[in-house]
Amino acid sequence: MTKGARRGQPLAGAAANRRSFLSLMGLGAIAVAGGGTLAGCGEKAANEGTAQQVDQLSAVLPKYQPLELVQPDIKGVSPVANGFTKYPASLVDAITEKPGRGSTITTMTPYWGQVPAGPGQNAYLDAINAELGAVVTPGIQDGNTYADKLNAILPARDIPDVLCIPSWEIPKIPNFSEAVKALFEDLSDHLAGDKVKPYAMLANLPTVAWSNAIWNQRLMAVPWPTDGPYPWALFYRKDITDVLGAAVPKTAEELYQFGKKVTSPDKGVWAFNNILAMVEMIFRVPGAKEGWRYKDGKVEFKYETAEFKAALEFMARLYKEGLVHPEVVASKGADAKLLFSSGKIVMVQDGVGSWLGVQAEQQKVTQGFNMQPVPYFAADGGQPLVHGSGDPIFYTFVKKGLPKEKIAEILGVLNFAAAPLGTKEFELIEYGVEGKHFTRGEGGWPQGTDLQAKEKADQFRFLAGTAPTIKYDARVPTYVNDLINWENAAVGFLEKDPWSGIKIEMPAGYVKVKQPTEDKITDIARGRRPLSDLDVVLKEWRDGGGEEGRTFLAKALSDAGR
């Protein structure tokens, strides 16, 4: 996974294959294993959920101090990031004093690829550690089984000095706020307000990202900001559809006809993977807080809406008529990215961040390979409803109980890692050492070497993201323009979140019913249960925790005066 892949369901293709972790344990497991603190008097409140109005917690947030080192070549319409096609003519040495004090700092981050050697055997790591004045020892874990590792270390409290947790796993963890309180350092007193001044790169991160790093009304993590609001896209193989004469769909019926036209089982080609999340969007199913909306004075979940029923019926039709690849039908997680890349699937639902990496790699394998996103559309051809989120991709936590001096050292390391485009620090973190890990390409942009591919696994990049940017990549020269123009076109259709500005941790009962219900919905979509069973599933969901979730979200709105 690369920095360019950061957004929404991260890496829905690269990582959720890039966002299919196994579910993490609930806090109950942590409490049993860890004892004491985690099972204390706060557990009842956490079981009932928490809602914090982050706009009332500004006192614990770092004061935003933007660094305008380089001007963008393509402006993103907020919340879309700006684009950079020209490499800065000169780089700023932004951090002149080494942040490290000679300590060894252990970290843990995910990676979706081969794990490289550690310090002393890795020139990329050693070069950065030399600049840091510390020995950062990465604990890189397989991104596909990262949750298994978290399952092991959190109950045992055997955590490294610095721990990265992907945002898409946090909602699955009941009582996560209690785990945060017990295991991780409160960063409020280190970074709130003007206290962030010694860490100018962290102060450059957007306030909206920091506001999501609050738990228990305290600043508990360093956020990794998203560079785009969209979790999903429908990508199609333009090189294939051009030959077939298949037009890009603009309605649900056209999507169905597209599927019929491109599916050819005798040639081993099918139209789709599981595109239910995109179908929900196409049918204007609510997506706020994973499927809630506030309409006509009522809080409703997506399962209860006519829009969801229509979307489910449509998806079931695609399955029933054999338009979804059989390997997808037969499993929970077939490698849709591989099927798409090999031309066995013509249209795939994937994370927006997968675009650059897949295009760059597959164009070397398949001549003319052309992966393009379908512009967002609605089932009836009217105005789309586009799901989106500004939530960070990762959160970086610092182990609780470390000496104050070491916490300051760690924050200095994270500050170095957060240096933006236009700094020497960014170039070192992103590309390595010139002449070893990269050479200069067109326009001065660094081009990675084989050694970079061998030694770099985003060991530092996943510790702290930079101010959001979309940057040029010589492998796909048109990427920046194509991505930002596509994203800008959809900004006006982004769904309004009624709970915007309220940090939500759903009640434990609601969290527990979520995955079993989704499994039942999958059975209906794939024809293993009749569509009429939706009413049964809905009742089971309501009784199992759904009503608890509704009551909680309604109270959160009321308490916020909305």
Side-chain angles (χ1 to χ4, degrees):
M1 179 170 141
T2 65
K3 185 187 172 203
R6 49 152 144 169
R7 52 187 65 250
Q9 283 282 355
L11 313 190
N17 280 353
R18 170 183 74 124
R19 285 180 198 199
S20 69
F21 288 1
L22 302 175
S23 296
L24 302 184
M25 72 308 210
L27 184 65
I30 304 177
V32 171
T37 307
L38 291 178
C41 61
E43 186 170 347
K44 182 178 185 295
N47 280 330
E48 294 174 353
T50 61
Q52 303 175 90
Q53 295 183 52
V54 294
D55 57 353
Q56 298 180 4
L57 298 171
S58 59
V60 301
L61 296 177
K63 183 179 179 180
Y64 179 53
Q65 300 172 57
L67 294 172
E68 297 181 354
L69 302 177
V70 289
Q71 291 301 310
D73 302 300
I74 306 171
K75 289 285 290 182
V77 178
S78 182
V80 174
N82 291 324
F84 297 83
T85 59
K86 301 180 183 117
Y87 199 69
S90 60
L91 300 180
V92 175
D93 191 359
I95 301 173
T96 55
E97 184 177 337
K98 294 182 188 295
R101 301 174 184 176
S103 298
T104 296
I105 299 171
T106 57
T107 71
M108 181 173 138
T109 56
Y111 191 65
W112 293 264
Q114 186 171 352
V115 176
Q121 299 176 300
N122 185 314
Y124 170 76
L125 285 180
D126 293 344
I128 297 173
N129 281 339
E131 289 296 314
L132 292 173
V135 180
V136 174
T137 304
I140 304 170
Q141 303 297 325
D142 181 357
N144 294 310
T145 56
Y146 198 65
D148 289 343
K149 184 65 177 179
L150 289 170
N151 277 333
I153 68 171
L154 292 178
R157 304 185 182 217
D158 182 22
I159 60 175
D161 298 326
V162 183
L163 177 63
C164 168
I165 299 182
S167 63
W168 58 93
E169 289 304 326
I170 289 174
K172 302 175 186 177
I173 309 172
N175 307 337
F176 183 71
S177 61
E178 291 297 299
V180 169
K181 186 189 302 182
L183 300 176
F184 304 123
E185 185 68 26
D186 181 345
L187 300 179
S188 307
D189 293 336
H190 302 274
L191 297 175
D194 287 334
K195 292 176 183 177
V196 78
K197 280 187 175 180
Y199 313 106
M201 311 301 130
L202 295 181
N204 186 43
L205 301 182
T207 299
V208 67
W210 284 109
S211 67
N212 280 280
I214 293 175
W215 279 270
N216 307 304
Q217 294 162 3
R218 303 293 291 174
L219 184 69
M220 300 301 296
V222 173
W224 203 81
T226 182
D227 60 10
Y230 311 108
W232 299 107
L234 276 179
F235 290 104
Y236 67 103
R237 286 285 302 274
K238 190 173 187 300
D239 51 314
I240 295 176
T241 59
D242 282 355
V243 172
L244 296 174
V248 174
K250 296 180 181 178
T251 67
E253 181 59 26
E254 289 179 9
L255 180 62
Y256 168 73
Q257 294 299 335
F258 175 95
K260 294 286 286 184
K261 187 174 186 67
V262 304
T263 297
S264 181
D266 58 323
K267 296 180 181 178
V269 177
W270 284 263
F272 309 115
N273 69 327
N274 177 25
I275 62 171
L276 180 57
M278 279 301 306
V279 167
E280 289 181 23
M281 209 182 299
I282 289 165
F283 280 84
R284 302 189 183 98
V285 174
K289 298 294 178 283
E290 299 188 322
W292 292 90
R293 72 181 178 193
Y294 183 65
K295 184 178 180 181
D296 299 330
K298 296 179 180 179
V299 174
E300 296 178 317
F301 191 59
K302 63 182 182 180
Y303 299 151
E304 304 171 294
T305 67
E307 293 92 339
F308 180 80
K309 184 176 182 180
L312 185 59
E313 288 176 348
F314 182 84
M315 192 69 223
R317 180 186 183 193
L318 300 185
Y319 274 108
K320 183 177 181 180
E321 299 199 20
L323 305 184
V324 178
H325 196 285
E327 288 184 22
V328 175
V329 178
S331 70
K332 282 189 174 182
D335 193 342
K337 190 181 301 296
L338 178 61
L339 295 170
F340 178 75
S341 298
S342 62
K344 295 179 179 179
I345 286 178
V346 180
M347 183 175 283
V348 67
Q349 172 186 294
D350 205 346
V352 176
S354 68
W355 187 2
L356 176 62
V358 173
Q359 178 64 41
E361 291 303 314
Q362 292 306 312
Q363 67 190 15
K364 296 186 295 186
V365 177
T366 303
Q367 186 176 6
F369 183 93
N370 191 354
M371 174 183 183
Q372 293 293 322
V374 177
Y376 290 109
F377 64 92
D380 59 5
Q383 181 170 306
L385 178 73
V386 179
H387 299 167
S389 171
D391 292 353
I393 301 302
F394 299 132
Y395 294 96
T396 296
F397 297 90
V398 177
K399 183 178 181 180
K400 188 172 184 176
L402 295 176
K404 186 175 181 180
E405 296 76 14
K406 188 162 187 178
I407 293 171
E409 187 176 16
I410 288 170
L411 291 175
V413 169
L414 299 182
N415 183 60
F416 190 103
L421 179 68
T423 65
K424 293 180 179 179
E425 293 80 6
F426 176 91
E427 183 175 271
L428 180 61
I429 294 287
E430 194 74 8
Y431 302 109
V433 178
E434 185 172 7
K436 283 186 178 180
H437 301 103
F438 73 89
T439 57
R440 299 286 174 187
E442 183 178 348
W445 284 96
Q447 306 295 305
T449 64
D450 290 343
L451 184 63
Q452 183 196 88
K454 179 181 178 182
E455 294 189 336
K456 179 176 178 282
D458 288 318
Q459 299 96 319
F460 293 90
R461 177 57 65 227
F462 288 171
L463 294 179
T466 65
T469 58
I470 306 295
K471 59 186 178 58
Y472 175 84
D473 191 300
R475 298 173 300 171
V476 188
T478 62
Y479 174 71
V480 176
N481 277 286
D482 290 348
L483 173 66
I484 294 181
N485 288 334
W486 176 79
E487 291 197 333
N488 280 348
V491 166
F493 306 125
L494 279 167
E495 179 185 29
K496 302 297 187 290
D497 181 354
W499 294 272
S500 177
I502 306 174
K503 186 177 176 64
I504 298 292
E505 180 177 353
M506 295 298 286
Y510 171 81
V511 174
K512 289 175 183 175
V513 79
K514 182 176 182 290
Q515 189 59 53
T517 307
E518 289 183 357
D519 291 342
K520 295 170 187 176
I521 295 295
T522 296
D523 286 341
I524 293 175
R526 298 189 184 188
R528 295 191 287 259
R529 295 180 65 167
L531 281 164
S532 58
D533 273 9
L534 179 59
D535 291 338
V536 176
V537 171
L538 179 56
K539 183 179 187 306
E540 291 170 346
W541 171 83
R542 285 171 174 157
D543 294 344
E547 285 297 338
E548 185 180 354
R550 186 200 320 282
T551 301
F552 170 77
L553 287 174
K555 185 175 186 300
L557 286 178
S558 176
D559 289 347
R562 301 183 189 180

